[in-house]
């Protein structure tokens, strides 16, 4: 009886991982290679007011594609503190990474 309970628990855990991996793959297929456009306010001298964070990029993904991606899973190569196009990636699941661009434009 104990062995069956452990096996059932293991199967449920594996199923949950499989579902998470399938969802991550679906998100990757949707956003990989895309360009997300972020409109930001300009401060003095036409410079970006503040910076674009993982939270902002997560909100863009939600708005444009309808997927919830945790802000902690979004990584940029450098801080986004100016206007232009920057590369970013979303580490969605073990071995599943979506790479995309973030284009920051003035409002």
């Amino acid at each position: 009886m104990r062995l069956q309970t452990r096996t059932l628990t293991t199967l449920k855990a594996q199923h949950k991982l499989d579902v998470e991996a399938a969802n991550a793959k679906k998100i990757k297929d949707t956003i990989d290679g895309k360009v997300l456009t972020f409109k930001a306010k300009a401060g003095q001298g036409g410079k970006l007011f503040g910076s674009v964070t993982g939270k902002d990029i997560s909100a863009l993904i939600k708005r444009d594609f309808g997927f919830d991606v945790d802000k902690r899973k979004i990584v940029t190569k450098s801080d986004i503190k100016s206007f232009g196009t920057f590369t970013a990636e979303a580490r969605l699941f073990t071995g599943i990474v979506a790479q995309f661009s973030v284009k920051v434009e003035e409002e």
Side-chain angles (χ1 to χ4, degrees):
M1 188 70 170
R2 253 189 158 150
L3 183 59
Q4 289 177 343
T5 305
R6 285 185 189 169
T7 303
L8 186 59
T9 304
T10 303
L11 287 174
K12 285 181 182 179
Q14 185 60 47
H15 175 71
K16 183 178 177 183
L17 289 175
D18 292 343
V19 169
E20 287 179 18
N23 288 339
K25 179 82 169 108
K26 183 177 177 183
I27 294 169
K28 178 187 187 286
D29 291 343
T30 303
I31 67 174
D32 201 36
K34 298 285 191 318
V35 177
L36 303 175
T37 303
F38 185 80
K39 302 272 187 188
K41 293 186 180 192
Q44 288 182 326
K47 292 190 175 191
L48 181 63
F49 186 74
S51 65
V52 179
T53 64
K55 182 179 179 181
D56 298 321
I57 297 170
S58 177
L60 274 178
I61 293 170
K62 175 73 171 174
R63 183 194 73 194
D64 292 351
F65 303 106
F67 295 114
D68 286 319
V69 176
D70 190 333
K71 65 182 181 182
R72 295 171 292 191
K73 293 184 177 186
I74 296 173
V75 179
T76 56
K77 304 234 184 271
S78 62
D79 291 338
I80 300 176
K81 295 185 178 186
S82 61
F83 294 106
T85 303
F86 303 87
T87 58
E89 62 184 31
R91 296 180 181 165
L92 303 166
F93 195 78
T94 305
I96 301 176
V97 178
Q99 295 183 338
F100 54 93
S101 297
V102 178
K103 184 177 181 181
V104 182
E105 297 179 341
E106 190 173 343
E107 268 185 348

